[in-house]
């Protein structure tokens, strides 16, 4: 596999739902496993585990059949869903950068037998495999992304180079539950309040995905980045939103 530029991949990736069901070869799977061990968390105090599964290890797949899946398991701790989203999005971009298709799957889960192989809580799946047509793997321009405008996702006016990649992040049902405030070296991330527990869970994963894009963009522009919990930002959420985390960008 080629070396990766995750930043560039942000501007062309898309979800892949039609796969060549032939399994990837052993070398490719070994390289994927090796990369999986290098993923960065938001919070390294949260224990996580990732497993590569095949179709037989996953329940009810009427529409989205892929040769492989990554299942993320995590310790259930403050911020664990966002942390898992952050980590697994690094894999989504890694796949795309290497001409492998992938798609987040929130609608199903591993079989009971597979679930019992981890002591940690199952969080989410990412399907992956060779696309049926390689052309269908990428978008040609950002105009092909169906996303909210920057004004809809933030009131920061001088950080478009970070906010645009965050806004291109995939999210469950393309809901884009994020809003960003701050500026001058700090970005506070908020999540829209959800009606159901299921939505809330998915939105927290989505927030980690957007934070991953923000973090990759900040690093791309040579910034020193650090995740922090900002009490003032936490106590002042925009109406209808709640606080997730802040990114110090210096
Ligand atoms: C947490 C999460 C769960 C998702 N679950 C599903 C799913 O169950 N089935 C599906 O077809 N797509 C699923 N998606 C993919 C989204 O529908 C997709 O990312 C969104 O529509 C934006 O499109 P794009 O990824 O092509 O940019 C999920 C995405 C996320 C982030």
């Amino acid at each position: 596999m080629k070396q990766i530029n995750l930043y560039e991949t942000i501007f062309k990736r898309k979800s892949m739902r039609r796969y060549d069901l032939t399994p990837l070869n052993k070398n490719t799977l070994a390289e994927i496993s090796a990369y999986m061990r290098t993923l960065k968390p938001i919070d390294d105090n949260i224990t996580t585990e990732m497993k590569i599964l095949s179709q037989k290890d996953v329940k009810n797949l009427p529409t989205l059949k892929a040769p492989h899946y990554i299942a993320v398991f995590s310790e259930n701790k403050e911020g664990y869903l966002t942390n898992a989203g952050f980590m697994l999005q690094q894999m989504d971009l890694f796949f795309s950068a290497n001409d492998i298709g992938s798609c987040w799957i929130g609608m199903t889960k591993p079989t009971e037998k597979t679930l019992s192989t981890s002591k940690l809580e199952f969080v989410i799946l990412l399907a992956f495999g060779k696309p049926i047509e390689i052309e269908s793997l990428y978008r040609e321009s950002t105009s092909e992304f169906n996303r909210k405008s920057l004004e809809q996702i933030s009131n920061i006016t001088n950080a478009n180079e970070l906010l645009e990649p965050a806004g291109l992040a995939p999210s469950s049902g393309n809901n884009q539950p994020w809003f960003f405030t701050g500026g001058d070296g700090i970005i506070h991330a908020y999540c829209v309040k959800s009606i159901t527990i299921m939505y809330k869970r998915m939105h927290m994963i989505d927030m980690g995905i957007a934070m991953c894009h923000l973090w990759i963009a900040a690093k791309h522009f040579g910034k020193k980045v650090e995740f922090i919990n900002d009490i003032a930002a936490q106590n002042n959420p925009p109406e209808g939103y709640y606080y997730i985390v802040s990114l110090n960008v210096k």
Side-chain angles (χ1 to χ4, degrees):
M1 274 190 238
K2 61 189 179 204
Q3 257 322 306
I4 38 158
N5 185 328
L6 298 188
Y7 173 75
E8 280 172 14
T9 309
I10 288 174
F11 299 89
K12 58 181 193 170
R13 64 151 296 285
K14 68 178 178 185
S15 294
M16 167 64 45
R17 295 186 176 84
R18 291 178 66 232
Y19 295 90
D20 175 346
L21 294 179
T22 319
L24 297 172
N25 67 45
K26 277 201 177 124
N27 284 348
T28 305
L29 286 170
E31 286 185 57
I32 291 168
S33 295
Y35 189 74
M36 225 158 66
R37 288 191 288 273
T38 69
L39 304 180
K40 301 283 183 295
I42 288 181
D43 181 346
D44 52 19
N45 291 314
I46 302 175
T47 306
T48 55
E49 187 178 11
M50 293 202 186
K51 290 177 189 277
I52 296 184
L53 308 179
S54 56
Q55 246 184 55
K56 65 171 181 23
D57 307 316
V58 178
K59 277 187 191 165
N60 309 326
L61 285 167
T63 50
L64 210 160
K65 285 197 167 60
H68 310 284
Y69 303 81
I70 294 178
V72 186
F73 298 83
S74 175
E75 200 180 358
N76 181 333
K77 249 187 183 174
E78 175 89 40
Y80 77 110
L81 297 170
T82 301
N83 188 58
F86 182 86
M87 292 179 80
L88 197 54
Q89 184 57 11
Q90 295 164 55
M91 285 314 296
D92 176 76
L93 294 171
F94 173 79
F95 285 134
S96 188
N98 286 290
D99 298 339
I100 296 172
S102 60
C103 186
W104 287 83
I105 307 188
M107 295 311 284
T108 188
K109 56 183 183 178
T111 57
E112 297 306 324
K113 190 175 164 204
T114 311
L115 290 175
S116 68
T117 61
S118 178
K119 291 199 179 77
L120 304 172
E121 180 183 309
F122 164 70
V123 178
I124 189 88
L125 290 168
L126 184 74
F128 70 95
K130 248 186 263 162
I132 288 186
E133 312 117 0
I134 190 88
E135 311 80 66
S136 63
L137 194 58
Y138 300 113
R139 292 181 166 115
E140 298 205 339
S141 90
T142 51
S143 63
E144 291 177 28
F145 283 79
N146 175 16
R147 296 293 192 270
K148 292 178 181 170
S149 66
L150 287 186
E151 294 71 37
Q152 288 173 296
I153 64 162
S154 180
N155 56 12
I156 307 173
T157 51
N158 58 358
N160 287 4
E161 74 283 8
L162 304 181
L163 295 168
E164 190 196 4
L168 294 177
S171 56
S172 49
N174 204 22
N175 276 313
Q176 307 162 67
W178 37 75
F179 194 82
F180 303 99
T181 69
D184 297 326
I186 189 154
I187 296 181
H188 309 299
Y190 296 91
C191 182
V192 74
K193 288 184 181 160
S194 357
I195 319 153
T196 67
I197 291 176
M198 179 64 184
Y199 271 121
K200 184 168 187 193
R201 194 178 162 85
M202 286 297 142
H203 284 168
M204 286 180 159
I205 298 171
D206 297 336
M207 291 302 299
I209 299 173
M211 293 316 289
C212 174
H213 282 202
L214 201 58
W215 170 75
I216 287 171
K219 286 198 310 172
H220 173 79
F221 289 106
K223 307 283 186 190
K224 216 169 150 232
V225 286
E226 187 194 8
F227 287 99
I228 58 159
N229 196 16
D230 185 300
I231 303 295
Q234 184 163 17
N235 292 335
N236 281 299
E239 172 102 35
Y241 289 81
Y242 63 96
Y243 178 73
I244 299 288
V245 71
S246 302
L247 190 65
N248 240 329
V249 184
K250 294 279 149 72

